């Protein structure tokens, strides 16, 4: 399912494909995502539970829901969704990520449908999902509006779209580029392009243009003392996440 016309930026894909083998190394190049993952999952699971009336304390609370993890990488979000009972499709434009994700899912005893494909190809094929997880991807595509429109087409009526990205301001340049890539060396230099970062207001406008209704946004805030992340209703200055619906 390869799309001849897509929003894939081949240069961005190559960056992540080069790091594919390190997806499940908590101290490797994806250490920032491993650190952020509990906070991301807290937001995601609560949004899904709230929208679909699910009890997170029940066994397999997401059973019956079909979830797409677009830009799934090695499966850091796909696997928790599968453990919660959802039917999960993990899609990534970087071919090298898929075998890594497949092997880890098998080792974990999880049945996840991983595919080397794009949002546009899935939409053209008529795929439909209750939830689309679009985490830390939109700042890496060639055309955010085309990409978000494809994500909207992938949602069933009443579906939930969760999208996280990086704000664009002087603070995010210092923290995400200088701090994460040059000082802490959490990520290889050049992983992010500050000019591609998107402000929350810009993202809300793009989501609305794509046919989605934004209903929530929160910041992911890092505490350098405790080395933990938390959700914030006010501080969206660097990392942030949004929820929107397809009415």
């Amino acid at each position: 399912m390869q799309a001849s016309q897509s929003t894939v930026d081949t240069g961005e894909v190559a960056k992540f494909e080069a790091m594919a083998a390190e997806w499940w190394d908590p101290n490797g190049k994806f250490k920032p995502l491993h650190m952020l993952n509990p906070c991301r999952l807290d937001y995601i699971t609560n949004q899904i539970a709230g929208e679909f009336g699910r009890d997170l304390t029940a066994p397999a609370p997401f059973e019956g829901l079909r979830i797409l993890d677009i830009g799934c990488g090695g499966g850091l979000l796909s696997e928790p969704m599968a453990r919660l009972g959802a039917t999960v499709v993990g899609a990534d434009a970087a071919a090298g990520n898929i075998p890594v994700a497949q092997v880890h899912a098998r080792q974990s005893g999880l049945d996840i449908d991983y595919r080397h494909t794009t949002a546009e190809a899935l939409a053209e094929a008529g795929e439909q999902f209750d939830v689309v997880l679009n985490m830390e991807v939109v700042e890496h595509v060639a055309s955010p509006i085309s990409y978000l429109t494809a994500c909207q087409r992938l949602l069933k009526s009443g579906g939930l779209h969760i999208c996280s990205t990086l704000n664009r301001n002087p603070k995010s340049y210092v923290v995400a580029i200088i701090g994460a890539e040059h000082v802490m060396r959490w990520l290889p230099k050049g992983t992010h392009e500050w000019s591609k970062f998107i402000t929350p207001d810009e993202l809300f406008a793009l989501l609305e243009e794509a046919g989605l209704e934004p209903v929530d946004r929160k910041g992911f805030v890092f505490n350098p003392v405790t080395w933990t992340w938390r959700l914030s209703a006010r501080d969206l200055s660097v990392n942030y996440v949004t929820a929107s619906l397809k009415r």
Side-chain angles (χ1 to χ4, degrees):
M1 284 175 60
Q2 298 300 309
S4 57
Q5 292 183 338
S6 77
T7 59
V8 170
D9 184 321
T10 55
E12 294 292 312
V13 169
K15 292 177 189 177
F16 289 92
E17 198 160 37
M19 299 185 285
E22 297 193 45
W23 271 107
W24 288 97
D25 180 359
N27 295 307
K29 291 185 173 68
F30 293 102
K31 181 177 180 178
L33 277 184
H34 282 274
M35 294 167 62
L36 177 59
N37 224 32
C39 193
R40 294 197 304 174
L41 286 168
D42 183 42
Y43 184 85
I44 290 167
T45 54
N46 279 287
Q47 287 293 323
I48 296 174
E51 187 59 34
F52 295 95
R54 302 303 176 97
D55 179 2
L56 290 173
T57 64
F62 293 169
E63 187 173 5
L65 294 178
R66 191 166 191 244
I67 296 179
L68 171 64
D69 181 11
I70 191 74
C72 64
L76 299 187
L77 290 175
S78 294
E79 291 199 7
M81 295 300 104
R83 288 192 181 93
L84 290 168
T87 299
V88 180
V89 174
D92 205 294
N97 288 336
I98 300 304
V100 175
Q102 289 172 331
V103 168
H104 199 275
R106 285 197 297 270
Q107 292 173 341
S108 303
L110 297 171
D111 182 15
I112 299 173
D113 182 3
Y114 284 116
R115 309 182 195 178
H116 171 219
T117 187
T118 65
E120 292 82 8
L122 289 166
E124 285 300 319
E127 296 272 4
Q128 291 278 277
F129 299 89
D130 298 289
V131 180
V132 171
L133 303 181
N134 176 11
M135 310 295 284
E136 289 85 48
V137 179
V138 69
E139 72 271 21
H140 296 289
V141 301
S143 171
I145 183 57
S146 298
Y147 171 67
L148 292 171
T149 300
C151 290
Q152 185 266 1
R153 291 174 59 198
L154 288 164
L155 281 171
K156 298 177 183 177
S157 179
L160 173 67
H161 176 261
I162 300 178
C163 178
S164 64
T165 188
L166 286 152
N167 202 341
R168 189 182 69 257
N169 54 41
K171 181 179 177 180
S172 69
Y173 182 84
V174 172
V175 173
I177 304 294
I178 297 176
E181 296 184 13
H182 294 262
V183 178
M184 301 303 295
R185 298 185 180 179
W186 281 342
L187 295 168
K189 294 177 182 177
T191 297
H192 289 109
E193 292 183 37
W194 183 79
S195 62
K196 289 187 174 183
F197 292 1
I198 302 171
T199 70
D201 288 346
E202 288 171 347
L203 183 56
F204 263 36
L206 287 167
L207 290 165
E208 290 172 345
E209 187 179 346
L212 292 163
E213 179 186 346
V215 293
D216 187 60
R217 60 187 183 184
K218 295 286 190 301
F220 292 135
V221 180
F222 181 66
N223 185 326
V225 177
T226 61
W227 280 63
T228 57
W229 292 81
R230 65 176 175 84
L231 288 167
S232 172
R234 294 184 177 182
D235 188 353
L236 283 71
S237 58
V238 183
N239 299 76
Y240 68 97
V241 60
T242 66
S244 52
L245 299 172
K246 182 174 180 177
R247 296 296 187 185

